[in-house]
Amino acid sequence: MTSSTDGPLFTPTRLGAIEVRNRIAMAPLTRNRAIEGRVPNPLAIEYYQQRASAGLIIAEATQISPMGQGYLDTPGIYSQAQIDAWRSVTAAVHARGGRIVLQLWHVGRISHTSLLPDGQAPVAPSALPAKAKTFTAKGFEDVSAPRALALDEIPGIIQDYRQAARNAITAGFDGVEVHAANGYLIDQFLRDGSNQRTDAYGGSIENRTRLLDEVVRAVAAEIGADRTGVRLSPVTPANDAHDSEPQPLFERAVERLDAIGGLAFIHVIEGATGGPRDNIAFDYATLRAKFRGPWIANNGYAKDTAADAIASGYADMIAFGRAYIANPDLVERLRLGVALSDLDPNTLYGGGSHGYTDYPSVSG
Ligand code: 8OZ
């Protein structure tokens, strides 16, 4: 064995109840290939199976309800047809010894009336339109103006997360990741740039972190804290996300997640999602120290920086997003030190097998 086959990235560990065989996670990636009924494309079986050597696959953001959708042809986990299709995906990954969790998604205000039932307006903490675009049947369009959720609608949203988590387990997933990042619904509640509520879900940091806490508690009560993870992105500008004081906000968010007890993991996007890591100064070490469970770090890591982050004890896994698109055998390539392939930007969103399941593995 040469030294390149060893190293901290290639050791097993455990995320709550989920045993993983290495420290490399596939980050959730939106690919817009769902078919009629917002059902995962049958090609997703091969796509995820090709990537099953990841220690953990975090499957693409998936709507918890029809109102949670914000882009064309993204999948859901609220209908029987969706559950059945996802079951084929999880079985294929498990047949290769992989582990896979589903990212639970409600987009909130990042949507368009053409994508929502009966052409409804998107829902959000406050009736503040985002300066953001989405992808509809007509191409890239400005998101639609949202309406503010009434206080008595919030229990129904929490129930949708709970049911979606149950559905994910029924579909064979090893757990779920609650998507609280990138300017979508939960993140909109967290930040004062999008939350101007005057009730128990707005105003103070305590109130703005309430929906996150209640959703994650509900999901953990339904499927077990040890199968429940959460994704955060403290300083991303994605989808018009902004807050006047991200450091205390996200420290309190993580403290509250820690207090739930025994969560499988927290997964943090450092810097701008898919962009610079240093767009806004942020103390990730202090954030990490507030959580006593497994930590997944993401954004712009390379083999050496990933290995350092594991070896230092800062992170338990490193998630790779863009690298996983064109490198289905990313684990083997990192292990062997093989050069990584570049992705084709024209086949990221929508389409069929080209740019999806036809990127080759070097290891056969
Ligand atoms: C790219 C395109 C559409 C959605 C995210 C779910 O940023 C997404 C997403 C990414 O979290």
Side-chain angles (χ1 to χ4, degrees):
M1 210 191 271
T2 67
S3 61
S4 65
T5 63
D6 301 322
L9 290 176
F10 308 102
T11 58
T13 190
R14 175 190 282 271
L15 309 171
I18 308 166
E19 285 184 30
V20 301
R21 57 188 167 184
N22 60 55
R23 307 308 185 93
I24 296 161
M26 177 182 174
L29 293 163
T30 289
R31 306 302 307 274
N32 305 78
R33 282 165 168 82
I35 60 172
E36 183 74 27
R38 283 90 190 247
V39 170
N41 193 307
L43 289 168
I45 301 167
E46 189 182 355
Y47 168 74
Y48 284 113
Q49 187 171 47
Q50 289 170 341
R51 289 158 179 77
S53 62
L56 181 69
I57 293 172
I58 305 165
E60 69 211 70
T62 295
Q63 291 95 237
I64 61 165
S65 66
M67 281 301 291
Q69 177 154 4
Y71 301 81
L72 188 68
D73 297 338
T74 51
I77 187 70
Y78 50 84
S79 76
Q80 190 60 49
Q82 292 161 350
I83 295 169
D84 292 344
W86 279 122
R87 200 195 313 272
S88 302
V89 171
T90 62
V93 170
H94 289 152
R96 293 263 172 99
R99 296 287 180 270
I100 181 167
V101 299
L102 185 64
Q103 196 190 44
L104 301 184
W105 195 25
H106 190 307
V107 297
R109 66 180 182 163
I110 306 300
S111 189
H112 191 272
T113 55
S114 67
L115 297 164
L116 295 173
D118 309 316
Q120 289 177 66
V123 295
S126 302
L128 298 167
K131 295 182 194 70
K133 300 232 181 245
T134 183
F135 189 73
T136 73
K138 291 189 180 157
F140 283 100
E141 293 194 76
D142 289 339
V143 296
S144 302
R147 71 172 178 86
L149 282 163
L151 185 60
D152 67 4
E153 291 179 287
I154 290 178
I157 302 247
I158 295 168
Q159 175 58 27
D160 288 343
Y161 277 100
R162 180 190 272 263
Q163 184 62 50
R166 172 53 51 200
N167 293 349
I169 297 300
T170 303
F173 285 97
D174 297 292
V176 302
E177 175 179 274
V178 173
H179 194 348
N182 294 345
Y184 298 112
L185 183 70
I186 297 174
D187 206 16
Q188 290 158 29
F189 272 82
L190 289 174
R191 298 179 199 251
D192 58 17
S194 42
N195 183 345
Q196 296 185 350
R197 298 178 75 91
T198 54
D199 61 14
Y201 293 88
S204 63
I205 285 178
E206 208 57 19
N207 282 353
R208 284 184 277 124
T209 52
R210 189 179 309 282
L211 182 67
L212 170 71
D213 182 57
E214 291 181 354
V215 166
V216 177
R217 281 183 188 275
V219 167
E222 183 67 34
I223 66 167
D226 57 1
R227 296 192 180 278
T228 303
V230 180
R231 197 179 204 203
L232 302 171
S233 56
V235 294
T236 194
N239 295 309
D240 202 15
H242 55 282
D243 188 83
S244 58
E245 282 191 310
Q247 189 79 41
L249 169 63
F250 282 89
E251 286 183 16
R252 183 63 190 137
V254 168
E255 271 174 17
R256 291 187 81 163
L257 294 172
D258 184 72
I260 294 172
L263 290 177
F265 61 84
I266 293 179
H267 176 188
V268 172
I269 302 168
E270 297 164 350
T273 311
R277 294 175 48 79
D278 57 357
N279 60 319
I280 293 177
F282 193 87
D283 178 358
Y284 295 101
T286 298
L287 195 71
R288 199 273 168 268
K290 297 205 173 279
F291 184 63
R292 287 168 284 185
W295 197 259
I296 306 178
N298 170 242
N299 202 22
Y301 280 85
K303 181 178 179 178
D304 56 343
T305 52
D308 289 349
I310 303 296
S312 71
Y314 166 67
D316 297 279
M317 294 188 90
I318 303 297
F320 294 85
R322 295 174 69 87
Y324 252 114
I325 293 173
N327 299 277
D329 55 344
L330 182 65
V331 171
E332 290 77 5
R333 292 193 198 204
L334 292 179
R335 196 196 297 271
L336 300 170
V338 174
L340 301 186
S341 301
D342 291 329
L343 62 80
D344 172 3
N346 300 312
T347 53
L348 282 177
Y349 306 120
S353 60
H354 182 47
Y356 191 53
T357 52
D358 63 355
Y359 287 110
S361 289
V362 289
S363 43

